[in-house]
Amino acid sequence: MKKILSVLIAAITLMACNNSQKKSEEAPAKPKTLVLYYSQTGATKAVAEELQKQLGADIEAIELEQPYDGDFQQTIERCQKEKADSVLPAIKPLKANLDSVDVIFLGYPVWFGTYATPIEALLKAQTFEGKKVITFCTFGSGGLQQSSNDVKNALPKAEVVCGYGVRNARISAVADELNRFLIEGGYKEGTIEALPAFMEHKPVTEQEVEIFNQACGDYQFPLGTPVDVAIRETATSTDYEFGVKSAAPNGEESTSTIYVTIKKEEGAKPEFTQVVR
């Protein structure tokens, strides 16, 4: 009898171990995520906090020993001098234990076409070896793709993913756009309607030029002249992908892609979302 009980107990124990192993295999440990960002005006901070909220992640702001505490023009002048002198701003040590972090959402404003200089200082000090780094940024017109490529080049030992970017003028759209981005990227659970592809580009009409001008006309710098456009209809908006030509500072002609959206709400106006050069 004792021998039979011993055999039964051993079998039950083995089954429990197998079930535990199966559960472990079916549900791997959730990666440890950190939202790490630098914000100058509060725009990038707003995106970072929304990310932290939607992901349930840890969050930390990058702080400078001597903050850029002047106005926009003073900040630009200081950055220009630092670049001319090949000097980077000193940043305070990070509080997060990066050894325990698997995924880093790295956020910054776009300055001079790429990530802000405090991020340059960070990437000089940290390799993020073995980490997955997802970029996010705020900008006046664009810069997500270029800055993400620059992060990738600066972190050859990390897996860098081009993430999410938003114009400073469109911070109110962040919550909905991040929800889509995070679900589509598999960073959080949920379902969302897939966006259709843009139709083929065709020459712009006068009406489409007017839509472009309404969206981009008040931008502080000339963005060029739209020559062709592709359109897509979604459940909530009509989106435009404009091919734009402009004159470069050296006089040569350059091309860019400018995105405009119009929400399907009464009284909605065309919104300039980003330029890709």
Side-chain angles (χ1 to χ4, degrees):
M1 185 67 180
K2 288 183 179 180
K3 186 176 181 180
I4 294 173
L5 285 174
S6 297
V7 171
L8 286 173
I9 291 170
I12 291 169
T13 302
L14 181 61
M15 288 175 63
C17 289
N18 287 338
N19 288 337
S20 176
Q21 183 177 358
K22 286 180 181 179
K23 287 181 180 179
S24 177
E25 292 173 352
E26 291 171 0
K30 185 178 178 180
K32 177 78 170 178
T33 301
L34 172 67
V35 178
L36 181 63
Y37 72 96
Y38 173 75
S39 185
Q40 173 67 11
T41 65
T44 308
K45 178 182 179 182
V47 181
E49 290 178 342
E50 183 62 33
L51 264 174
Q52 189 267 340
K53 176 183 174 183
Q54 294 199 29
L55 291 169
D58 292 337
I59 188 169
E60 181 173 347
I62 296 163
E63 299 180 0
L64 300 183
E65 295 289 356
Q66 294 182 326
Y68 293 98
D69 54 5
D71 60 19
F72 176 78
Q73 187 57 39
Q74 288 174 320
T75 297
I76 293 297
E77 289 173 358
R78 174 178 161 185
C79 285
Q80 289 174 329
K81 186 177 186 308
E82 288 172 339
K83 286 181 176 294
D85 296 340
S86 298
V87 172
L88 291 175
I91 60 175
K92 295 182 179 180
L94 297 180
K95 300 172 185 175
N97 177 13
L98 295 183
D99 290 339
S100 67
V101 175
D102 304 299
V103 178
I104 298 170
F105 282 81
L106 181 65
Y108 47 84
V110 171
W111 292 357
F112 304 102
T114 189
Y115 47 76
T117 49
I119 297 297
E120 186 177 357
L122 174 74
L123 301 188
K124 289 285 186 182
Q126 301 286 344
T127 66
F128 297 116
E129 182 174 356
K131 313 296 183 188
K132 184 170 186 177
V133 178
I134 300 114
T135 59
F136 68 96
C137 62
T138 57
F139 44 74
S141 60
L144 170 64
Q145 290 77 12
Q146 182 60 55
S147 64
S148 296
N149 286 338
D150 292 341
V151 171
K152 187 174 183 178
N153 290 334
L155 298 177
K157 296 181 179 181
E159 177 190 355
V160 178
V161 178
C162 181
Y164 170 76
V166 64
R167 290 188 66 217
N168 296 325
R170 299 187 63 252
I171 292 298
S172 61
V174 165
D176 288 342
E177 290 183 356
L178 273 182
N179 179 63
R180 170 174 290 280
F181 166 72
L182 293 173
I183 293 174
E184 286 179 340
Y187 304 117
K188 81 172 195 178
E189 294 182 357
T191 57
I192 198 160
E193 182 181 0
L195 292 176
F198 281 96
M199 300 170 66
E200 285 190 27
H201 277 251
K202 62 178 184 62
V204 291
T205 65
E206 289 185 7
Q207 181 181 9
E208 289 158 353
V209 171
E210 179 59 26
I211 288 171
F212 178 88
N213 289 336
Q214 286 181 37
C216 305
D218 61 352
Y219 186 66
Q220 58 184 322
F221 302 113
L223 292 170
T225 302
V227 293
D228 57 60
V229 66
I231 302 172
R232 72 178 177 193
E233 296 287 344
T234 77
T236 59
S237 66
T238 303
D239 301 330
Y240 299 83
E241 184 182 72
F242 287 99
V244 177
K245 290 186 177 181
S246 59
N250 60 7
E252 295 182 1
E253 186 178 77
S254 64
T255 59
S256 61
T257 302
I258 291 180
Y259 292 90
V260 170
T261 187
I262 305 176
K263 294 180 180 178
K264 292 182 177 177
E265 300 173 356
E266 186 176 352
K269 296 180 180 179
E271 296 180 47
F272 160 35
T273 61
Q274 69 166 322
V275 56
V276 179
R277 295 182 174 87

